[in-house]
Amino acid sequence: MTITKTLFLKASPERVWRFLTKKDLLATWFMAGGVDVVEGGDWIAVTNSEGKEGEPVCTGTVKEFTPPADGKDGKLVHSFTHKWLEGVDTLCTWTLVRAEGGTILTLVHSGFERVAENPFAMAADHDKGWDEHFVRLRFVVG
């Protein structure tokens, strides 16, 4: 089970990359990052819920880190889990392709078939969630 989302953003791949990897910019469209995303590092999103500020909500490990540069495309791959996935690691693969006037960003989120109970519902919930986050990403990155 795989979710694939592709969107066109009116921003350079370098700018889009920063919104995927800088903890403060992640907060503008997803959740605050616990740390900046770096090669070989952790991928952490934290909550701003009252009394729980800064606690990890989503976590993972960076598997591939290729920033766009010198006209070349970018790619970020990290594992992704949270308490509702009950310890199952899924995989997020982000590709940034330079296009006239902006960037084609594709997210492939895979691994839901490993969820023990109702993997289709879990994938559907994440599909809807990414749609909601991407509305905000379009707004803040452009």
Side-chain angles (χ1 to χ4, degrees):
M1 273 185 202
T2 300
I3 298 166
T4 302
K5 301 283 185 184
T6 300
L7 59 156
F8 181 82
L9 298 168
K10 293 181 181 178
S12 69
E14 293 80 7
R15 179 171 171 80
V16 174
W17 182 262
R18 290 191 300 272
F19 277 83
L20 297 178
T21 60
K22 298 299 180 188
K23 66 181 184 175
D24 295 338
L25 294 176
L26 272 168
T28 65
W29 68 274
F30 186 67
M31 285 185 251
V35 295
D36 285 344
V37 177
V38 297
E39 186 170 5
D42 293 325
W43 186 93
I44 302 170
V46 298
T47 186
N48 65 352
S49 296
E50 189 170 358
K52 296 182 180 184
E53 295 89 352
E55 290 182 16
V57 175
C58 303
T59 60
T61 303
V62 177
K63 310 287 186 189
E64 186 175 339
F65 189 88
T66 307
D70 301 322
K72 295 184 180 172
D73 299 335
K75 187 174 185 180
L76 173 65
V77 181
H78 61 84
S79 57
F80 179 96
T81 193
H82 50 67
K83 70 179 181 180
W84 298 280
L85 284 168
E86 298 176 347
V88 172
D89 269 336
T90 59
L91 191 69
C92 291
T93 300
W94 304 84
T95 56
L96 296 83
V97 176
R98 192 174 310 276
E100 186 177 332
T103 302
I104 299 169
L105 175 67
T106 301
L107 166 65
V108 177
H109 191 169
S110 60
F112 294 99
E113 67 279 356
R114 294 191 300 273
V115 174
E117 192 170 320
N118 207 347
F120 182 82
M122 185 64 70
D125 286 347
H126 283 78
D127 182 62
K128 181 178 183 250
W130 285 122
D131 283 345
E132 292 167 2
H133 292 304
F134 286 162
V135 166
R136 290 192 297 276
L137 179 59
R138 281 184 190 276
F139 179 75
V140 299
V141 81

